[in-house]
């Protein structure tokens, strides 16, 4: 477990001490108390605690930067252009401290863990502290779904909710959040959802560590892979959403399968593949001399845990179960994971849910889903409304692409360079490659490419980390094989040139090359860490809604009668789905491009005609906010001049009456026809 003290004696599932390091690592100087019982010297204690220095310095710089960053006027570079320079210095200090700590064999795992937690705080908590309101229109949408469950007290079908009924057909996340809202005694999920990116990112650490420890005992590789995963996970699915939890559950299922359903690890407690079973310590008289009853009981416990995790995934999200099935199928086709129980369990639970609770949505969506199968070009293209436009948006988009591309190239280098890992960690290669066929299956609303990248990342980060390190240690299982080979070699007659057997290790190159390699890896790690910020926060002009915008939209829903219609340019504004069970919405930029052109030519006339079908006492409202404007400009819809023309046309029309206005937007209502 992270941060646990390692005992002085080697574990049964680890190689001997003299075989557990690469040749480039010096023999560590211990800081434990001497055998005589005398306390450790003060310099020794100070040396043991030095990793706290860069960690605390980085956090101090981060706190200073947060206190001196102004987000009131974001430009097209998002948070990147607003952050105080101390933030970047803090990230550099933290990365350097992590690199030298994780490379030092004298340091326990608690120090790399502390640095990774510090990284997550700087990455994911900065926005929660800087912005007074939660980010992302989709997070506000999910808050509305939770509010619907709390208000209605149950699930409803499409006859009542229309397109929003899909969330009632996958209610796992929302039902859990509704229970959490009541448990915490808060008004709604918006009270804490700004912190959800940090919470969901921390949830990923345990399954990641379990997965990586299955294939190696090299702490350098494990923690460098975790770090790379954190800095390369820029896709932005960690916000308040079902997929944030479903992804953590997905990794949890894979951790159970890789550790408990492998021909090498079955019945063992670690990556060594030892034959010790969970029931081997119990009384043999109860289950026979071989303790098979205890083994069966342990298998039953893991089968129940696996089923619970799969059920939680299936009832919470539409896409993640499909990704899980594809990954488990790839694992089941290998010799090491030929146990079909996890795959069969997942498929049965998935189909049962699809044919019952989710059937109404799937029946309506199936024709489009079938048409998209095999259309790779359409499934990966961006198209109208999703194309970055403007210098800032394009630069931030390229930063994200370069970050992901660099990690994938590093992963390829790690596969080619680390022969031991290529063989022992082959299941992680499958984890990285298995999501690729999903490109053929669907576009998933132009988001499939981002979801595939996210599901590839656990495996890719592992091999990318291997590319940054010298020859890594073999896994404990390989160390055991090597020990057996060494014992066999010892029985053979030894000649003058016979050398003692050792694990494959890194041969130090010439001094100039060593210096070059020693600096190249941390520089690459630092570049990736810094690139995360523009990739993750570069579009905060779109994603942030100031309190004035929230207040304007809230005023709309406070006065809108049942059956009213809200017309807006797009759905990028807070509370966009507020009270969706009684108020309808229409976003004209989602409509056919020809109709959008008609609105641009005669905004007031066409919009009034579109809104005229609302019968009293319901009202038809036109809402235009700065969030809609930012999204339209930066994603290639209407530019600022065109949106200004729409606003001025509505303002000058006698058919519209202004209801409210502030610096974040304006709200009009269509007057009743005379």
């Amino acid at each position: 477990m992270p941060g646990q003290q390692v005992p002085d004696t080697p574990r049964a599932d680890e190689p001997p001490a003299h075989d557990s390091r690469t040749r480039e690592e010096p023999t560590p100087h211990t800081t434990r108390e001497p055998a005589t019982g005398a306390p450790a010297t003060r310099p020794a204690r100070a040396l043991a605690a030095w990793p706290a220095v860069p960690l605390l310095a980085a956090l101090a710089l981060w706190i200073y930067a947060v206190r001196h960053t102004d987000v009131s006027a974001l430009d097209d570079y998002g948070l990147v252009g607003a952050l105080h320079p101390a933030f970047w210095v803090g990230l550099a200090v933290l990365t350097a401290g992590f690199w030298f700590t994780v490379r030092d064999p004298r340091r326990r795992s608690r120090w790399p863990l502390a640095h990774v937690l510090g990284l997550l705080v700087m990455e994911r908590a900065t926005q929660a502290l800087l912005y007074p309101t939660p980010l992302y229109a989709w997070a506000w949408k999910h808050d509305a779904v939770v509010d619907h469950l709390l208000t209605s007290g149950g699930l409803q079908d499409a006859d009542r909710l229309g397109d929003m009924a899909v969330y009632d057909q996958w209610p796992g996340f929302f039902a859990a959040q509704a229970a959490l809202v009541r448990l915490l005694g808060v008004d709604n999920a918006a009270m804490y959802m700004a912190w959800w990116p940090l919470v969901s990112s921390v949830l990923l650490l345990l399954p990641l560590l379990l997965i990586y420890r299955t294939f190696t005992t090299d702490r350098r590789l494990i923690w460098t892979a975790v770090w790379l995963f954190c800095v390369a996970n820029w896709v932005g699915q960690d916000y308040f959403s079902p997929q944030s939890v479903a992804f953590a559950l997905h990794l949890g299922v894979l951790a159970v399968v890789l550790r408990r359903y492998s021909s090498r690890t079955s019945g063992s407690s670690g990556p060594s593949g030892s034959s010790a079973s969970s029931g081997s310590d119990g009384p043999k008289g109860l289950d026979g001399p071989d303790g098979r009853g205890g083994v069966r009981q342990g298998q039953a416990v893991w089968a129940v845990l696996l089923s619970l995790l799969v059920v939680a995934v299936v009832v919470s999200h539409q896409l993640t179960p499909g990704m899980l099935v594809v990954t488990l199928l790839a694992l089941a086709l290998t010799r090491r994971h030929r146990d079909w129980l996890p795959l069969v369990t997942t498929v049965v639970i998935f189909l049962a849910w699809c044919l019952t609770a989710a059937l109404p949505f799937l029946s309506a969506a199936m024709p489009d889903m079938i048409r998209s199968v095999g259309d790779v070009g359409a499934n990966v293209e961006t198209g109208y409304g999703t194309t970055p436009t403007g210098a800032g948006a394009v630069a931030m988009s390229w930063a994200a692409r370069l970050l992901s591309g660099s990690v994938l190239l590093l992963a390829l280098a790690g596969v080619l360079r680390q022969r031991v890992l290529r063989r022992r960690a082959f299941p992680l290669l499958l984890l990285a490659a298995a999501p690729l066929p999903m490109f053929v299956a669907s576009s998933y609303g132009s988001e499939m490419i981002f979801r595939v990248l996210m599901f590839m990342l656990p495996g890719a980060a592992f091999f990318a980390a291997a590319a940054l390190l010298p020859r890594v240690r073999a896994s404990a299982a390989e160390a055991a094989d090597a020990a057996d080979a060494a014992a066999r070699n010892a029985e053979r007659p030894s000649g003058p040139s016979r050398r003692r057997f050792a694990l494959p290790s890194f041969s130090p190159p010439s001094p100039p090359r060593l210096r070059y390699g020693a600096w190249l890896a941390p520089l690459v790690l630092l570049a990736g860490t810094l690139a995360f910020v523009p990739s993750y926060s570069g579009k905060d002009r779109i994603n942030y809604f100031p309190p004035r915008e929230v207040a304007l939209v809230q005023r709309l829903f406070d006065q809108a009668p049942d059956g009213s219609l809200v017309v807006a340019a797009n759905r990028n504004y807070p509370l966009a789905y507020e009270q969706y069970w009684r108020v309808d919405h229409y976003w004209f930029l989602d409509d056919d491009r020809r109709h959008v052109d008609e609105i641009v030519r005669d905004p007031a006339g066409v919009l009034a005609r579109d809104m005229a079908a609302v019968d009293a006492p319901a009202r038809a409202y036109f809402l235009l906010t700065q969030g809609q404007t930012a999204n339209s400009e930066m994603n290639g819809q209407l530019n600022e001049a065109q949106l200004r023309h729409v606003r001025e046309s509505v303002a000058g029309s006698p058919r519209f009456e202004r209801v409210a206005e502030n610096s974040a937007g304006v709200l009009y209502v269509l007057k009743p026809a005379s």
Side-chain angles (χ1 to χ4, degrees):
M1 293 295 293
Q4 184 175 354
Q5 292 289 342
V6 179
D8 295 336
T9 56
R11 298 199 312 261
D13 62 343
E14 289 189 350
H18 60 82
D19 282 337
S20 64
R21 307 179 194 91
T22 59
R23 194 173 298 172
E24 53 89 22
E25 292 181 356
T27 301
H29 300 288
T30 181
T31 59
R32 299 187 183 94
E33 294 184 0
T36 59
T41 62
R42 184 173 301 175
R45 289 197 299 268
L47 182 64
W50 81 261
V53 176
L55 176 61
L56 294 177
L59 292 177
L61 288 167
W62 170 69
I63 293 173
Y64 180 85
V66 169
R67 292 175 60 88
H68 293 81
T69 295
D70 182 13
V71 296
S72 60
L74 296 176
D75 57 17
D76 285 357
Y77 294 88
L79 190 59
V80 176
L83 280 170
H84 191 277
F87 180 87
W88 305 99
V89 178
L91 268 185
V93 171
L94 184 70
T95 306
F98 168 80
W99 178 256
F100 289 108
T101 298
V102 80
R103 296 263 301 179
D104 190 342
R106 295 169 292 186
R107 308 300 170 199
R108 303 302 184 195
S109 293
R110 63 174 177 267
W111 287 116
L113 173 62
H115 281 76
V116 168
L117 291 176
L119 174 70
L120 291 178
V121 168
M122 294 182 68
E123 284 183 345
R124 265 74 180 186
T126 299
Q127 293 166 313
L129 292 173
L130 286 176
Y131 300 124
T133 58
L135 294 177
Y136 303 112
W138 288 95
W140 290 87
K141 174 182 180 179
H142 296 151
D143 176 49
V145 177
V146 175
D147 188 47
H148 159 64
L149 288 180
L150 291 170
T151 303
S152 64
L155 307 178
Q156 297 176 353
D157 56 23
D159 293 337
R160 292 288 307 275
L161 302 179
D163 294 339
M164 293 295 290
V166 64
Y167 293 101
D168 281 34
Q169 293 166 31
W170 278 274
F173 172 81
F174 304 106
Q177 294 300 327
L180 183 60
V181 167
R182 287 182 171 170
L183 179 65
L184 296 177
V186 296
D187 294 335
N188 49 49
M191 303 296 292
Y192 59 82
M193 68 184 185
W195 294 93
W196 196 257
L198 177 61
V199 173
S200 62
S201 298
V202 171
L203 289 177
L204 298 176
L205 291 182
L206 178 59
L208 269 181
L209 289 171
L210 291 175
I211 290 173
Y212 292 157
R213 282 179 58 84
T214 305
F215 302 102
T216 183
T217 56
D218 192 327
R219 56 189 291 277
R220 303 169 308 160
L221 178 58
I222 293 171
W223 287 107
T224 305
V226 171
W227 184 280
L228 280 175
F229 176 88
C230 293
V231 301
N233 189 19
W234 60 267
V235 175
Q237 299 304 314
D238 55 358
Y239 71 100
F240 187 74
S241 62
Q243 57 264 35
S244 65
V245 176
F247 186 48
L249 295 170
H250 168 86
L251 293 182
V253 172
L254 295 181
V256 171
V257 172
L258 291 172
R259 294 180 70 87
R260 309 306 308 186
Y261 290 90
S262 168
S263 60
R264 295 187 62 88
T265 62
S266 179
S268 67
S269 60
S272 63
S274 60
S275 60
S277 68
S278 59
S280 61
D281 295 332
K284 295 182 180 179
L286 296 178
D287 299 309
D290 56 358
R292 291 179 181 174
V295 174
R296 288 193 296 269
Q297 183 180 4
Q299 291 173 342
V301 170
W302 287 110
V304 170
L305 175 60
L306 179 71
S307 301
L308 291 176
L309 291 173
V310 172
V311 168
V313 173
V314 169
V315 304
S316 298
H317 197 229
Q318 304 97 320
L319 178 64
T320 305
M323 289 286 192
L324 183 59
V325 168
V326 172
T327 305
L328 292 178
L329 176 61
L331 290 175
L333 294 177
T334 65
R335 182 182 306 174
R336 193 181 307 179
H337 296 85
R338 198 161 286 177
D339 193 331
W340 290 86
L341 177 63
L343 176 62
V344 172
T345 300
T346 303
V347 171
V348 169
I349 295 174
F350 188 26
L351 288 178
W353 188 262
C354 291
L355 295 176
T356 54
L359 187 60
F361 169 79
L362 293 176
S363 300
M366 191 59 68
D368 290 337
M369 295 171 63
I370 295 175
R371 281 194 297 268
S372 66
V373 173
D375 192 358
V376 179
N379 290 346
V380 299
E381 67 181 3
T382 54
Y384 172 69
T386 56
T387 302
T389 305
V394 171
M396 300 301 100
S397 177
W398 273 105
R401 295 176 186 179
L402 290 174
L403 176 57
S404 294
S406 299
V407 171
L408 294 179
L409 288 176
L410 279 175
L412 178 61
V415 170
L416 298 176
R417 183 168 178 264
Q418 304 284 6
R419 184 175 58 183
V420 172
L421 290 181
R422 189 167 64 243
R423 181 174 67 255
R424 287 294 177 184
F426 180 72
L428 285 180
L429 278 177
L430 294 179
L431 260 63
L436 290 174
M438 298 301 289
F439 279 131
V440 181
S442 172
S443 67
Y444 203 68
S446 300
E447 289 190 10
M448 183 58 74
I449 186 172
F450 304 112
R451 304 299 177 91
V452 168
L453 282 173
M454 183 177 70
F455 282 93
M456 292 176 63
L457 191 54
F462 182 83
F463 286 98
L468 297 179
L469 297 171
R471 290 290 182 184
V472 297
R473 290 203 309 267
S475 66
E478 183 161 356
D481 295 341
D484 293 340
R488 289 193 299 269
N489 291 338
E491 298 175 358
R492 299 176 183 175
S494 58
S497 61
R498 181 177 177 274
R499 295 185 300 175
R500 184 180 180 181
F501 179 84
L503 288 175
S505 58
F506 176 73
S507 300
S510 58
R513 185 179 176 184
L514 179 62
R515 288 194 297 268
Y516 174 74
W519 284 105
L520 179 61
L523 287 177
V524 170
L525 196 69
L526 175 61
T529 303
L530 297 179
F532 170 86
V533 181
S535 303
Y536 185 78
S537 307
K539 293 187 176 181
D540 278 6
R541 184 190 165 209
I542 294 177
N543 299 323
Y544 167 55
F545 311 112
R548 299 183 306 276
E549 188 169 357
V550 177
L552 179 69
V553 181
Q554 187 63 62
R555 180 172 178 179
L556 160 63
F557 289 104
D558 287 344
Q559 70 177 39
D562 289 355
S564 294
L565 172 67
V566 178
V567 176
N570 52 54
R571 66 193 74 193
N572 191 64
Y573 55 93
L575 304 166
Y577 293 83
E578 182 78 358
Q579 302 177 28
Y580 59 84
W581 53 94
R582 69 175 193 89
V583 176
D584 293 328
H585 301 80
Y586 168 58
W587 302 287
F588 63 81
L589 289 181
D590 290 349
D591 212 336
D592 183 83
R593 186 61 188 266
R594 288 175 297 179
H595 189 64
V596 174
D597 292 337
E598 291 180 11
I599 293 177
V600 172
R601 285 193 296 269
D602 181 17
V606 176
L607 288 174
R609 183 189 66 199
D610 293 342
M611 300 163 65
V614 178
D615 297 326
R619 308 294 300 274
Y621 298 88
F622 174 72
L623 176 70
L624 187 61
T625 64
Q626 70 177 48
Q628 299 173 52
T629 302
N631 185 81
S632 179
E633 291 179 9
M634 295 182 65
N635 282 325
Q637 294 177 320
L638 301 183
N639 58 37
E640 182 182 5
Q642 291 172 315
L643 289 173
R644 188 186 312 113
H645 171 61
V646 171
R647 176 172 176 170
E648 291 173 351
S649 175
V650 171
S653 171
R655 302 195 60 182
F656 288 90
E657 178 184 354
R658 187 174 62 189
V659 175
E661 182 179 8
N662 60 28
S663 59
V666 62
L667 174 65
Y668 290 90
V669 64
L670 182 68
K671 296 179 181 179
S674 58

